Every structure is written in structure tokens, then in C-alpha cells.
Amino acid sequence: MKIHKNFNINNSLGINSIAKFFIEIENIKDFEELFNFISSKDISSSLLIIGEGTNLVLPETFDGIVVKPIFNHINYDKINNLISVGASVNWDYFVDLMVKDNIYGFENLSLIPGSVGAAPIQNIGAYGQSISSLISSIDCFDFKLNKFVNLSNLDCDFDYRHSILKDNNYIIYNVNFTSNNISECNYDYDSIKKYILEFNLDAKLLTLKDTRNIICKIRERTLPNHLIIPNVGSFFKNPIVQKKIINQEYFSLNNLIIWPLDSNVVKIGAARLIDLIKEELDEYDNVSISSTHSLVLVNPESKASQKEILNYASHIKDIVQKKFNISLEIEPTIIN
């Protein structure tokens, strides 16, 4: 276990954030030492588990303990059709490996930033696929009870951009994925269909590698690379609402992107909502909406504070609420 004091927390949003304690965990034996350290400091309520920092809105000072698990293993269990993956393995590196090994189900989640360990917390998803359908179980350490826990898929209580891991005392160090998924790709998503049509491709002839390449091309077209322009990807979730509550005084339903969930409930494309009201937004000094995707807030010069970013997000939410009677929910985790 390595302990650093007053350590800079690397994060994709580019906020200058310093942690009072920053701890690296490199093997299972370190967890006992971590528990003792946390107990001695009596600040377990101010503990942050971090992967690559790609889905966090951090404060300038975090007066607590940041824990970074460093587990880089990838092990195949062919008898039980499982792949056990360390929490710190880069997610897209793992997806690329699955495609090369001809293991289906991961390809639509290509190029999502972050680590394997962080991915289940938000139940990451894209282009009609969610990570929850690929997970068998997750191995964690409970830092308050000082014990190891194995969570089944059902234990995780996965939902849209949510899981039980989001507000709990677990440090993920290993994720067990299924490898016997249905051997076919999912092209049933508008942007994929449009790409296939645009380039006159035959979906029946596309390979698993082709599919990953298509997803990467689509993402690269619209989502800025956080290594070049600091961001956390989609800043707002697609809201799920009763269709009847949508205000049509300013824009009709035909102006919106709507996915029916049942006869009364719909999911609304949040990017379209923001597209429609962008001209009414005030300008902020250090934070703005990406020019390529309205769900992405960017901190181009890494000068914005957490407060400025959240104030801008609130400004967007207020206008969307006024125009559509729809409440937007922030997707990344806000750290106080």
C-alpha cells in the first residue's frame, strides 16, 4: 500500500483537485492495512474510490482519503465461461481484447473512457448495450466492515445508469464477465443504422471487428477526446417521464427524440432538449457545451472550478425545465 499526502487527483474534467491522502492498493493483502489506516483517521465518510477519474466532478480540495485500486489481471475461465478482470484495466483496452478474441457483447461499448472497476457503478451503456448484461459477479472489499464480498449480478440491482455500488462501502477489485454471450452484433440503434446506410454497408457481412470500428468512428465524430478537451462525456441522463407531462407550448413532440417505454412512459433524448434551447443559454467564462455534442460540457483550458461547472449545469437544467417541464439529472458523480 502506497500513501501520498496532498496529492493531485487526475480527472478527465481537468479540475485542479488535491486530496489530503491518496492511497494506492496493489494487492488483496493491502486491504487490511487500508482498513486500519481508515480507522485510525476516523474519516471513513470522506473516502473516494477512483479509477481513471473520467466520471467525476471534483472539488478543489478533498479533505479525506482517495483510494486507487491497481489490479491489472485478465484471467480466462473457459470451463465456466468467465473472464475475471482487474479493476484498473482500461475499459476500452479490455473491449478491444474481447473483440480480438471473438467474444461478443462488448463491441457496442467501445471507446467509453474509464476503468473496468468503475464501469459497473454507473452501469455504463451505449448504442443499445449496457454492461449489466455482461456481468456475472463482482468482487469487492467492504472498507467499513473489513470483509470481502462477492456480489452477483442480481445483488448489484442494476438500473439505467445506476447500481447498488454507487452509494455503498465497496471497493471493486475484480469483475467477472460472461464469455458465452449471443454471437451476433446489435445494430438496432439509429446512429448505427445511419452509419451503415451512409457508407452503403451490408450488415450481414460485418464482422465483430467491423462493428467495433463503426462504434469508434461514430463516437469520434461526436464526442470530444477528454485527453484533448477536458470533459466527462454525457453530463446529463436521458430523462424518463410520463408523456403527458411534457410541455408543448414552445416545441412539439415532433421536435424531440422519444423512445416509448410503455403506453404512458417515454425516454427523452436529453441532447435534443439542450440543442433546442442552446441559443438561450448565458455564456460562462471557463465552461461551455461541446460543439459536437450537446450533452457534453467541456472545460477547454482546465480553468473551471467545480462550482462554475455545476452552476452552468444548473443554468441548463433551469431552462430545460421551463421550456419542457422536464427535469434533467446530472450523470457524473459530484464529489463534495
Side-chain angles (χ1 to χ4, degrees):
M1 186 173 89
K2 296 179 181 178
I3 303 174
H4 309 274
K5 293 183 178 180
N6 300 318
F7 195 80
N8 183 65
I9 310 172
N10 185 46
N11 65 98
S12 69
L13 194 47
I15 294 175
N16 183 23
S17 182
I18 303 295
K20 185 174 183 179
F21 295 102
F22 189 97
I23 298 177
E24 295 174 310
I25 301 293
E26 298 178 308
N27 60 70
I28 290 177
K29 294 180 181 179
D30 285 344
F31 285 116
E32 177 73 27
E33 187 178 353
L34 174 67
F35 174 77
N36 292 332
F37 182 85
I38 293 171
S39 300
S40 69
K41 299 299 178 183
D42 193 31
I43 52 175
S44 59
S45 60
S46 298
L47 190 141
L48 171 64
I49 318 302
I50 194 168
E52 296 183 6
T54 57
N55 200 50
L56 300 174
V57 185
L58 294 166
E60 284 61 57
T61 301
F62 183 72
D63 191 26
I65 301 172
V66 173
V67 177
K68 182 177 178 63
I70 303 177
F71 292 84
N72 292 310
H73 61 270
I74 301 177
N75 301 321
Y76 293 80
D77 180 352
K78 294 183 179 180
I79 295 175
N80 295 304
N81 296 309
L82 293 176
I83 311 110
S84 298
V85 188
S88 57
V89 172
N90 176 269
W91 173 255
D92 190 58
Y93 170 81
F94 172 59
V95 171
D96 186 48
L97 188 63
M98 293 299 95
V99 170
K100 288 176 179 176
D101 286 345
N102 205 40
I103 296 174
Y104 284 73
F106 298 85
E107 59 280 355
N108 284 25
L109 302 178
S110 293
L111 223 58
I112 295 178
S115 64
V116 166
I121 298 173
Q122 290 283 118
N123 187 19
I124 62 169
Y127 307 105
Q129 178 64 285
S130 293
I131 192 178
S132 56
S133 65
L134 304 169
I135 291 175
S136 174
S137 65
I138 300 177
D139 295 307
C140 314
F141 175 75
D142 188 320
F143 63 83
K144 283 195 173 181
L145 298 181
N146 190 26
K147 69 175 185 178
F148 292 96
V149 179
N150 176 265
L151 300 173
S152 69
N153 186 295
L154 289 177
D155 291 335
C156 294
D157 194 24
F158 288 116
D159 200 352
Y160 175 62
R161 300 297 179 268
H162 181 77
S163 74
I164 197 174
L165 298 154
K166 203 169 186 179
D167 300 299
N168 222 307
N169 309 317
Y170 298 138
I171 301 174
I172 298 171
Y173 62 90
N174 178 74
V175 182
N176 299 300
F177 294 97
T178 57
S179 62
N180 59 339
N181 306 303
I182 297 174
S183 296
E184 61 181 36
C185 295
N186 176 14
Y187 304 123
D188 192 26
Y189 200 86
D190 283 347
S191 54
I192 302 176
K193 291 177 182 177
K194 289 178 182 177
Y195 188 97
I196 290 174
L197 184 63
E198 178 184 352
F199 291 94
N200 196 28
L201 303 175
D202 187 343
K204 295 179 181 178
L205 299 178
L206 295 175
T207 65
L208 191 56
K209 183 178 180 180
D210 291 334
T211 305
R212 169 170 162 78
N213 288 339
I214 288 171
I215 298 299
C216 290
K217 292 293 184 183
I218 293 172
R219 290 186 69 91
E220 287 168 345
R221 279 181 169 186
T222 57
L223 296 170
N225 185 336
H226 68 84
L227 298 175
I228 300 172
I229 304 176
N231 71 90
V232 289
S234 296
F235 207 86
F236 301 101
K237 298 179 183 180
N238 290 324
I240 297 174
V241 300
Q242 293 280 334
K243 189 175 181 179
K244 64 182 180 182
I245 66 98
I246 301 173
N247 180 19
Q248 299 183 58
E249 179 182 353
Y250 303 97
F251 300 97
S252 73
L253 295 181
N254 291 332
N255 293 120
L256 310 183
I257 293 177
I258 298 176
W259 297 281
L261 299 182
D262 61 31
S263 58
N264 300 309
V265 179
V266 295
K267 182 188 289 187
I268 306 292
R272 177 59 61 85
L273 299 179
I274 297 172
D275 273 336
L276 293 170
I277 57 91
K278 269 199 300 191
E279 298 302 319
E280 299 185 41
L281 295 175
D282 296 335
E283 289 189 10
Y284 279 56
D285 290 338
N286 299 310
V287 58
S288 59
I289 293 174
S290 167
S291 61
T292 58
H293 201 302
S294 292
L295 275 189
V296 180
L297 304 189
V298 295
N299 178 17
E301 297 181 9
S302 298
K303 291 182 178 180
S305 64
Q306 181 193 61
K307 181 179 179 180
E308 185 172 11
I309 290 167
L310 294 181
N311 283 347
Y312 188 59
S314 294
H315 177 50
I316 294 170
K317 290 175 63 177
D318 288 345
I319 296 181
V320 168
Q321 180 72 51
K322 176 184 175 182
K323 293 293 185 179
F324 304 101
N325 192 35
I326 294 175
S327 177
L328 290 181
E329 184 179 350
I330 291 176
E331 184 166 328
T333 302
I334 300 168
I335 307 300
N336 297 315

